[in-house]
Amino acid sequence: MTRRIAIFTDEPGWHGQQLQQAFSRRGVEALFVSLQQCAFALHQQQPQPTPWVRIPGFEQSLPDGVFVRGVSGGSLQQVIMRLDVLHALKLLGVPVYNDGRAIERTVDKAMTSLLMQLHVLPSPPTWVCESRWQAAELLKAEHAAGHALVLKPLFGSQGKGVQRLLPGSALPVPMLPEVDGLYYLQRYIDSGAGRWHDYRVFVIGQRVLACMRRHGQDWVNNVAVGGRCELVEGDAELEALALAAARAVDIAYCGVDIIRDLHGQCHVLEVNSIPAWRGLQSVARQDIALALVDDFVAQLA
């Protein structure tokens, strides 16, 4: 009997198509489903109960597994509901890849930074607060010490809404729409003006599948804003740190962003639980979608 799984996404795009084709190669039928279309029906039904979690395309029985490619934004209540669907499926015995807990730990940059500190992994000094006055006082102190800070949205990816605050820049702290009244401030790690770069290490099942160096046109190196990709192989320090970061957030697969400062010290910037890999695939030797599918299929009953 053909196994059927759901790929949770609102925009399948290139990544969704890559996954669907890889699942097909492994004899698994994959349907695209938006988490916004899922619902709960929490009551007993006799004699033939239907699933408590209602998923389009799986009306008679739950999927054999779900692959999470996106959790869309919305109100706090809507986001909690979408995460509740992931938690409920796992409680009902459905493999969820990545599961709700892993997504919660990594989509929230403050929690990721806390877990890096708890596991004594090198990461930039970080401050998080709601008070614009507290943020301004911190900025003043860091600037006085000669440090630049980076202001990031607590939730966000692909370098959107990120701003560098250099010593001598105007106060108070900018009120960007993406910040939304919450200040996540991280000390800026300089990789070298004019040769800006960082690393994306792709981890699947506690092994490093591939690694690339991203060269930015300015200090932001994300591929989505024009970063150039270069394959990196055999860097044991990067690989060991990425694996340790993945263990710290307890995740099945992820993209770990690491930067080396001017002294060669590595720092974990972020851990991405729903990472894009189109840029990495352009330089990697392995089929990334197929590697993800193989790791996921191995977990299906």
Side-chain angles (χ1 to χ4, degrees), residues 173-187:
V173 179
M175 293 183 67
L176 303 175
E178 296 87 353
V179 170
D180 195 26
L182 196 287
Y183 299 95
Y184 176 93
L185 292 155
Q186 203 169 57
R187 187 174 292 170

Side-chain angles (χ1 to χ4, degrees), residues 191-192 194-202 208 210-217 220-223 226-238 256-261 266 279-284:
S191 62
R195 52 185 182 87
W196 298 283
H197 65 279
D198 64 9
Y199 300 89
R200 163 59 64 87
V201 187
F202 209 92
V208 171
C211 174
M212 69 175 174
R213 183 184 293 108
R214 302 181 294 195
H215 297 272
Q217 297 177 0
V220 178
N221 304 300
N222 300 69
V223 175
R228 176 174 57 84
C229 305
E230 175 187 2
L231 184 66
V232 174
E233 295 181 295
D235 192 319
E237 182 182 16
L238 280 179
V256 184
D257 292 343
I258 298 173
I259 192 168
R260 273 199 174 103
D261 63 26
C266 289
L280 181 58
Q281 188 63 80
S282 71
V283 296

Side-chain angles (χ1 to χ4, degrees), residues 4 6 35 54 103 119 140 143 189-190 205 235 237 240:
R4 303 175 71 244
L35 275 168
R54 300 293 173 84
I103 291 172
H119 288 80
K140 186 187 301 182
H143 281 183
I189 304 298
D190 187 7
D235 192 319
E237 182 182 16

Side-chain angles (χ1 to χ4, degrees), residues 156-170:
S157 62
Q158 299 183 332
K160 297 175 182 176
V162 176
Q163 185 169 345
R164 183 172 53 163
L165 308 175
L166 296 170
S169 60

